[in-house]
Amino acid sequence: MSYSKQETPAPPHTKRVGYVYDVRMKYHQDLEDPQDPHPEDPRRIYWIYNILKVAGCLDIMKNVLVTPVTDDKILRVHERQYLETLKDTEIMERATLLETQKKYDSVFLCKESQYCARMSAGGLLALCKDVVRGKLDSGLAIIRPPGHHACSAVPMGFCLLNNIAITVRDLQARKMVNKVMIVDWDVHHGNGIQEVFYSDNTVLYASLHRYDEGEFYPSSTDGGMDMVGEGEGKGYNINIPWATAGVSDGDYIYAFKKLLLPVARQFCPDLIIVASGFDAAVCDPIGECDVTPECYACMTSMLKSVSNGKLVLSLEGGYNLDAIANSALACVKPLLNIKWKAGHIPQPAIYLAYATLSEEE
């Protein structure tokens, strides 16, 4: 794997963009068939780290140290019984681990999984704290396992702990933020995040995802347009469900300009966290969409214009190693005020989300 050195500006006097990366998060791995790498490959975080290093970005970014998230923070989001089960995996033998993971939907476990999940959530929390405190303007959390599918009582979809939900709840408990916007551009609906904040008017959750009439993972109607929140949270949950594969730059840019940015500015959050899956990227084998690095750069730039630039991207999915590396680099460039010069953003295509509406609606 090799990348050409890319032009970066001279290092500023103060590093204002942070990143989180810890090699120990690679220890979480699939025990079932070591010869057949799982899509949620431990190498994912290294490929992102390496392209940022080769491009010279890490030289002008601050490395934020990672500490594992503690029980009290986890229990603001997850049920104790599930946490205890996760803890038990540390002492399970291989056969028991394989049997335990079969109880859940699309999850793998090893003895190190619980520690890695704590590191993943703890890394995002540390980065967000530095941004909220004003030590940093923005940042990228290069973390795994991902989290946006993890529900309060069960893990699912490669996710063990809900990194973003744990982070938001801790920041709110410490009164470091009041309102937070979560933008989820992972190709899958973040059902776990939606579950946690569905009745909360202090958190605006917006997800752009493949829906396929509820057939695309996580294979439920929770990602439908009609799921807008309940109680005090009604109107604070926004789903933009794509009807099929092949969604591209124009669809995302159109959704951002016509819906997400106007709503974000009206909501006026203290912080924006992006559930930054790159599985809608061109060449991703699971997402089967066509979002380019230029589009990820453009969406990042647009979000910088909200919340006084306090923006943190948190890695979720993305299963083509080249695609996630290049997409992550594209997101970091605008954070560092490096222009993305290659390519262009195409004109909006048919807004596929409308295809999910029935004729009666």
Side-chain angles (χ1 to χ4, degrees):
M1 175 179 61
S2 64
Y3 299 102
S4 60
K5 189 82 171 180
Q6 300 199 25
E7 182 182 351
T8 58
H13 295 296
T14 304
K15 296 179 180 180
R16 299 297 302 172
V17 179
Y19 74 95
V20 163
Y21 174 79
D22 193 302
V23 68
R24 290 173 289 180
M25 283 183 265
K26 293 173 64 179
Y27 299 162
H28 171 62
Q29 55 189 299
D30 184 16
L31 300 177
E32 197 156 20
D33 186 358
Q35 303 304 315
D36 183 18
H38 190 279
E40 207 285 279
D41 190 322
R43 294 175 296 174
R44 296 168 64 243
I45 56 173
Y46 174 72
W47 278 57
I48 293 174
Y49 172 84
N50 189 60
I51 197 173
L52 295 177
K53 181 178 180 181
V54 172
C57 294
L58 298 187
D59 296 335
I60 53 176
M61 297 173 72
K62 180 184 176 182
N63 181 15
V64 177
L65 296 180
V66 181
T67 55
V69 74
T70 53
D71 285 8
D72 60 315
K73 296 175 176 61
I74 295 172
L75 291 172
R76 291 195 182 105
V77 172
H78 295 281
E79 294 184 8
R80 182 173 293 278
Q81 183 176 354
Y82 167 54
L83 177 57
E84 295 303 322
T85 300
L86 193 58
K87 286 181 178 181
D88 289 344
T89 60
E90 285 191 316
I91 57 172
M92 290 181 183
E93 297 300 323
R94 181 178 184 277
T96 308
L97 286 164
L98 292 174
E99 191 63 31
T100 301
Q101 72 185 33
K102 289 179 182 177
K103 299 176 183 178
Y104 304 116
D105 178 6
S106 304
V107 167
F108 62 85
L109 297 167
C110 66
K111 289 186 177 183
E112 293 78 20
S113 294
Q114 189 232 175
Y115 179 74
C116 293
R118 288 179 182 269
M119 291 286 285
S120 187
L124 176 60
L125 178 57
L127 179 57
C128 287
K129 281 182 178 178
D130 278 0
V131 170
V132 170
R133 287 170 174 157
K135 294 181 179 180
L136 297 170
D137 295 329
S138 57
L140 171 67
I142 313 168
I143 56 176
R144 68 177 292 273
H148 74 150
H149 291 307
C151 299
S152 59
V154 292
M156 63 180 290
F158 312 161
C159 302
L160 301 183
L161 295 177
N162 200 312
N163 305 317
I164 290 178
I166 289 170
T167 294
V168 172
R169 285 299 186 224
D170 189 67
L171 293 175
Q172 290 181 324
R174 295 171 180 269
K175 301 189 184 304
M176 297 177 71
V177 295
N178 180 22
K179 296 187 294 183
V180 177
M181 182 176 185
I182 302 168
V183 177
D184 191 339
W185 66 43
D186 188 285
V187 80
H188 302 93
H189 178 241
N191 57 298
I193 297 177
Q194 177 171 294
E195 177 198 73
V196 174
F197 300 113
Y198 200 61
S199 58
D200 190 333
N201 63 4
T202 66
V203 177
L204 174 61
Y205 176 63
S207 175
L208 308 94
H209 52 270
R210 269 189 68 180
Y211 186 59
D212 298 32
E213 297 183 351
E215 295 298 317
F216 197 71
Y217 195 87
S219 306
S220 81
T221 57
D222 289 347
M225 254 191 271
D226 58 332
M227 302 297 288
V228 297
E230 64 183 9
E232 292 185 352
K234 191 171 183 179
Y236 293 85
N237 194 87
I238 301 171
N239 285 324
I240 301 176
W242 308 122
T244 185
V247 181
S248 60
D249 294 6
D251 305 295
Y252 278 80
I253 299 304
Y254 189 85
F256 262 64
K257 288 185 174 180
K258 294 296 184 179
L259 179 57
L260 293 191
L261 288 180
V263 170
R265 291 183 179 120
Q266 184 175 2
F267 183 62
C268 197
D270 304 310
L271 172 69
I272 295 178
I273 302 177
V274 179
S276 184
F278 295 119
D279 39 7
V282 175
C283 295
D284 189 274
I286 294 178
E288 298 179 316
C289 291
D290 296 311
V291 179
T292 65
E294 292 94 329
C295 183
Y296 285 116
C298 186
M299 292 191 292
T300 302
S301 295
M302 287 190 283
L303 290 176
K304 273 187 68 179
S305 67
V306 186
S307 69
N308 294 316
K310 292 186 180 296
L311 173 65
V312 174
L313 279 63
S314 179
L315 181 64
E316 292 286 349
Y319 309 105
N320 177 298
L321 296 176
D322 280 313
I324 65 171
N326 283 288
S327 298
L329 175 61
C331 291
V332 167
K333 278 182 157 185
L335 297 183
L336 292 168
N337 296 317
I338 304 171
K339 291 184 179 180
W340 183 271
K341 299 178 181 179
H344 68 283
I345 303 300
Q347 293 298 311
I350 297 172
Y351 188 25
L352 295 178
Y354 285 135
T356 63
L357 289 171
S358 66
E359 291 182 3
E360 291 76 18
E361 293 175 302

